[in-house]
Amino acid sequence: LSLKKPQGCIHSWKLHDDYISGFANSDDGNTLLASSADCTISAYDLRMAGQHNQPLEKIARRSDDQEDELLSIQIMKNGRKVVCGSGE
């Protein structure tokens, strides 16, 4: 059995309007969170992303505008809370 590292991009999502400032992965590895300078957080269901031809709406969700760019993100309290740092 030979396991090769994939070459190139595996997945690409264009959900944010500005740069991604931080990533956080859930402990179970099923969810990826991203904070962005466009003032939003996005959550990606990595289980759904592994199934080919899934529409972006089934893979990702995006928060409401937080009024200031988000600079960092962290999952806390055993996955029950998410905190973000901002420029404010």
Side-chain angles (χ1 to χ4, degrees):
L1 177 66
S2 174
L3 297 177
K4 287 184 164 181
K5 182 178 177 182
Q7 297 295 314
C9 180
I10 296 172
H11 289 287
S12 176
W13 299 295
K14 307 241 186 232
L15 194 62
H16 290 279
D17 300 322
D18 208 333
Y19 67 90
I20 301 293
S21 56
F23 286 109
N25 197 35
S26 63
D27 287 339
D28 62 10
N30 291 329
T31 305
L32 178 66
L33 302 177
S35 58
S36 174
D38 67 7
C39 309
T40 64
I41 300 168
S42 58
Y44 301 89
D45 183 340
L46 299 178
R47 294 170 297 175
M48 291 297 286
Q51 300 173 15
H52 295 289
N53 301 321
Q54 291 293 324
L56 184 58
E57 297 80 34
K58 286 195 168 199
I59 297 171
R61 298 286 186 260
R62 191 170 167 192
S63 73
D64 292 333
D65 191 319
Q66 302 302 306
E67 299 183 13
D68 195 19
E69 66 181 1
L70 302 175
L71 303 174
S72 61
I73 190 165
Q74 182 66 42
I75 300 172
M76 300 179 68
K77 301 283 184 179
N78 294 321
R80 295 187 318 259
K81 294 197 183 257
V82 175
V83 293
C84 290
S86 71
E88 187 71 16

